[in-house]
Amino acid sequence: TGVDHFWSIGKQRIPLGVGRIWNPIDVFNPIDYEAIETDERDGTESIRYEYAFNDLSNVDATIAERQGAIRVKGFLEYADVALVGLWDEKNDRDIIGWELEGQFMESGIELRSEGGSFHDRTAGDRYTEFIIGAEYGFANSLTLLAEYNYSDDDNIDYLGVQVNYQPAMLWICNLLTVTNLDDHSGFIAPSVEYSLSDNMTLSVGAFIYFGNEHDEFGSADDRFYLRWFVHF
């Protein structure tokens, strides 16, 4: 191991994809947008190698059980760009994908996209799935984020909007909405988190679904939760 080479072995979070609500090319730990805590994802038992060509570009490879990925990433003037090849024997598919993330001129708006061409080994079909997103953070800690997700496998597209605000040092308020743009069903997920100490938080929230019973989200039951989290 030297300055340009990095190895990691064991259970780890593989940094794959740039989406915040969806990340379709992540075969290891994809985001569950209906989870109570989407930022907390199980790691993957894997071997990961990274080689830095220079300060702004690198190639990395990850091998896990019946899954793997190779990615080449670099900075091209205004954005980070990556090409990714993945194989996923657990779900019988292969993916040729991309990552794109950068600031829109000097506006402070962060633009991002990820997606790819998916090969379904079982059906022998190929389809495209991608996300396009934008995020902006205001000086008062208010952050607005929107993502559009489309897959021509089922010709369904989604829109997700997230608002995050910290009204005081120990409080965090969050609101996530996801809508199926075809049947107009979806859910609204508000939450409030309070930091009880340096290693303890308390949060309360809900998932409130809308739509008729034949829609994707319309038949789901509303959920409410109280979460006490302690870490050591």
Side-chain angles (χ1 to χ4, degrees):
T1 302
V3 175
D4 299 329
H5 303 267
F6 176 78
W7 289 89
S8 59
I9 301 174
K11 192 169 187 178
Q12 55 189 306
R13 169 76 179 96
I14 306 302
L16 191 64
V18 296
R20 298 292 188 268
I21 301 175
W22 297 278
N23 61 331
I25 68 169
D26 189 344
V27 301
F28 303 105
N29 284 133
I31 296 173
D32 180 1
Y33 60 88
E34 291 185 82
I36 292 175
E37 182 52 77
T38 56
D39 290 337
E40 293 182 8
R41 286 181 275 173
D42 293 335
T44 302
E45 295 286 352
S46 59
I47 301 174
R48 184 171 182 268
Y49 167 71
E50 181 177 335
Y51 171 70
F53 298 114
N54 52 51
D55 293 341
L56 299 176
S57 60
N58 65 276
V59 59
D60 59 75
T62 302
I63 301 294
E65 183 181 0
R66 300 172 62 200
Q67 294 176 315
I70 297 176
R71 173 175 57 185
V72 179
K73 188 172 184 177
F75 182 77
L76 300 180
E77 191 171 359
Y78 295 110
D80 290 313
V81 180
L83 296 177
V84 191
L86 308 104
W87 63 96
D88 182 7
E89 295 184 8
K90 290 184 178 180
N91 297 292
D92 289 327
R93 61 182 180 173
D94 304 299
I95 307 169
I96 300 173
W98 74 83
E99 298 175 359
L100 179 63
E101 186 172 29
Q103 185 177 152
F104 178 64
M105 302 178 72
E106 296 183 359
S107 64
I109 300 174
E110 190 77 18
L111 301 178
R112 60 179 63 96
S113 176
E114 72 171 84
S117 175
F118 292 69
H119 174 232
D120 185 331
R121 298 177 184 176
T122 303
D125 297 330
R126 185 171 290 278
Y127 63 93
T128 301
E129 183 176 354
F130 65 88
I131 65 105
I132 299 174
E135 182 176 0
Y136 183 77
F138 295 87
N140 63 353
S141 82
L142 176 67
T143 300
L144 301 179
L145 180 150
E147 277 187 8
Y148 170 78
N149 180 5
Y150 176 74
S151 171
D152 62 12
D153 182 36
D154 47 21
N155 291 316
I156 295 178
D157 46 0
Y158 300 89
L159 177 65
V161 177
Q162 188 172 48
V163 181
N164 187 278
Y165 180 59
Q166 187 171 353
M169 183 175 296
L170 302 178
W171 294 87
I172 298 176
C173 302
N174 188 73
L175 177 66
L176 171 66
T177 67
V178 171
T179 304
N180 181 321
L181 297 178
D182 296 280
D183 65 21
H184 305 293
S185 67
F187 66 84
I188 300 171
S191 66
V192 177
E193 181 179 296
Y194 178 71
S195 179
L196 297 171
S197 66
D198 290 340
N199 62 348
M200 188 183 307
T201 60
L202 183 68
S203 57
V204 60
F207 286 81
I208 302 171
Y209 296 86
F210 57 88
N212 66 52
E213 61 180 3
H214 301 295
D215 297 335
E216 179 179 3
F217 297 104
S219 60
D221 295 327
D222 295 341
R223 294 184 289 153
F224 303 87
Y225 65 88
L226 177 67
R227 179 175 179 267
W228 177 46
F229 179 74
V230 181
H231 64 90
F232 302 94

